Amino acid sequence: MIPWNYADARKDDISQLVYLSNLIGADPDLVQPGGGNTSVKLEEPDLFGCTVRALAVKGSGTDLRTIGPSGFTHLYLDRLALLAGRESLSDEEMMALMRACMLFPDRDPVPSVETPLHSLLPYRFVAHTHDVATLSLSDTPHAREHVRRIFGKAVAFLEYVRPGFPLAKRLAERFSEGPPRDAIALVMEKHGLAAWGDTAQECYERLRDVIEKAEAYVAEQSSRKRVFGPSAVAPLADAARRDLAAAVLPVIRGELARQGWRAVLYLDDSAETLEAICDERFAEVAARGVMTPEHILRAGVRPLVVNSPEPAVGAQQRAGAGATSTAGGLVAAPLHDAIREAMGRFHADYLRYAKTNGQDHPIPDYLKTIVVPGLGVICAGRDRRSALVAAACYRATMRAMAGAEAVERFEFLSDAGACEMEYWPLERRKIAEGAGTRGELEDKAAIIIGAASGIGRATAERFAAAGAHLVLVDLDLDGAAALADGINAATPERAFAAAANVADPEAVANAFREAVLRFGGIDVLFYSPGVAPELHSVAEMPDAEIEAQMAVHFRGAVAATREAARVMLEQRTGGRLIYNASKAAFVPGERAAAYGAAKAALVHYVRNAASELGRHGITANYINADAVDTPLFRALVRERAQERGQTEEETLAHYAERSVLREATVPPEAVAEAALWLASDHSAHTTGCVITVGGGAEGFPR
Ligand code: ZN
């Protein structure tokens, strides 16, 4: 654990609390994203100017790693004390009462469900962790004995009870005369640790002391033990493993979607994870659950461990397949089948478990962690950020599982207890809290090719506002990366940039592979790279110009279509292919035959794609955009003006004149709106179709 640093911890209570929180939050073995909490009891003026005894406690929806002063909720301690006297309270009543205890209801975040724990412990500073070391002791059949053996009376023990009001009630009963004297901390069975102190530093040092002792005990028990048994599957070599992952992630994502869970996937294939999941007994131990109740919400009630068909993994390894894009072929096929079958069985078992425990309306996100030995742990989230949180929680769970197995035996809640937690409305609410805007493209992954400028850029921004996850591909990697940074600043983990020259089919394939590894699949392709035409008469058209135009406007689209269709067919959840075709596909442009012919070839190709893929729910449409105000169009205007001996303004005036809408130019955002409609579910019944944006009578397709 990180040592306390006097210089960094400022003097006032709230600064000390922030410092304490950030120290704890920085260590994923102590708390996982969003989990754990801290508090201080202090005297401060309320809105009326009266100095009162208050509790400042981490608010709901905040994270210890990043929390600042405004992340804490301030509550009247005397009112909170009345809560403990209540015989029974529903969740809603408890939350309503806690809101009524707030000093600054308009300013502070809502109190978390663990607030009563902090108000009931009569110490100034309190820190609560879901740390691996304590849970290695407490997720066992004889947790109390282990705690007593290590700590004697210095650490109190509380048997499992559901967090929230029941936990508060039990705590109040047990400690009605104050907690045991000499105790510096409390282990809550199958939940975590709370430590306290008069100062933030004392609280932290006690926490550290308890955790380090627990760690040493677990380490001693684990020495020379291979807790999950001998290795059953050898992890694949890096390149082969990633190829295989790119081939199977869309299968997993598609199966989840068909069972009602539209998710983005994250693959954890770190060395530590791979080692743990390849062991013989891993599946058996993992089936017992996760490490702390909150992880049920984040990583699911239990993971699905797929038994990989040995020949598939073995054959891949023996063949020594490198980083080729063919990994999804024959080798992956048995694994695809094994995954589909295992997911079907898991879903049926889950429905039975939910029903047995009184839940007739199963939650959609019933499965968040899928383990494929040899490949990695695949976590599902409504967005990539949630999938990352699931992965962090599951990594900690794997460590606690190993620790508990070393100490005694890993054991979590009964099915009934786990289900109660899983369906607890206050926990479910946390999922909703994390949600951004629910736009048309929420939980969809889109790849935009030619994303760094013009129409591609405007479309990326529009898709991002609609909630999409985005892969921004461009020859100009810096431009695409800057765009991704901007999007991620507003909505973290939504966009990433990849460089690709569309003239190189392998580069296009690699961009798709990266996209799948990043999000688990692809739902939308928007193809919009452009290269400005060199103007030549057909009598003098150089072969090089034809080559250049065909490479970018046609062959790149062929490669992108091939890659997108493969992924979409594997997902079996349909898809949207959208292309920027331009007016030139329909109307001959003076001395721009190469450009127009490449676009016309694209249009015909898209019609073929629409007709072949429609039966799989994949639509293919194109946009006939004209006079869109992009750098490429401005360059063309300059060239045309020169050709005609006009100023650029005169040329633009001429364009306005011939446009039905009398517009010289159309903003790229107008094309982005059309692309959004084509990318969304609203266009499900439209395929092989063109939407005209800009242009005029002359540009109407015929
Ligand atoms: Zn907790």
Side-chain angles (χ1 to χ4, degrees), residues 437-442 461-468 494 676:
T437 52
R438 302 295 293 169
E440 294 99 318
L441 302 185
E442 203 72 43
E461 282 167 348
R462 187 65 191 91
F463 280 15
R494 288 296 177 124
L676 175 64

Side-chain angles (χ1 to χ4, degrees), residues 546-700:
I546 289 284
E547 279 307 314
Q549 293 297 325
M550 291 299 277
V552 173
H553 294 129
F554 179 66
R555 282 205 304 274
V558 170
T561 305
R562 181 170 58 223
E563 300 301 326
R566 267 191 199 164
V567 176
M568 288 170 183
L569 289 172
E570 219 46 279
Q571 282 178 163
R572 302 184 183 174
T573 51
R576 301 277 178 270
L577 306 172
I578 309 159
Y579 305 81
N580 190 13
S582 138
K583 182 193 75 174
F586 308 100
V587 184
E590 186 74 18
R591 290 158 42 91
Y595 177 80
K599 290 285 195 183
L602 168 65
V603 163
H604 199 70
Y605 202 83
V606 175
R607 287 173 179 162
N608 273 279
S611 113
E612 264 186 51
L613 299 171
R615 74 201 71 164
H616 303 288
I618 301 168
T619 65
N621 295 288
Y622 44 97
I623 296 170
N624 159 30
D626 183 32
V628 183
D629 198 352
T630 63
L632 196 142
F633 176 73
R634 287 281 168 179
L636 191 67
V637 170
R638 266 194 302 280
E639 212 169 331
R640 290 282 191 217
Q642 247 166 29
E643 207 177 54
R644 293 172 183 159
Q646 290 176 324
T647 63
E648 285 173 39
E649 286 67 31
E650 284 163 345
T651 302
L652 285 171
H654 165 73
Y655 286 173
E657 192 59 34
R658 74 177 186 192
S659 152
V660 173
L661 295 168
R662 296 295 181 271
E663 293 171 321
T665 62
V666 172
E669 290 74 20
V671 185
E673 285 300 332
L676 175 64
W677 184 77
L678 288 174
S680 74
D681 292 341
H682 299 306
S683 67
H685 307 285
T686 298
T687 193
C689 174
V690 57
I691 294 186
T692 299
V693 180
E698 196 195 16
F700 292 166

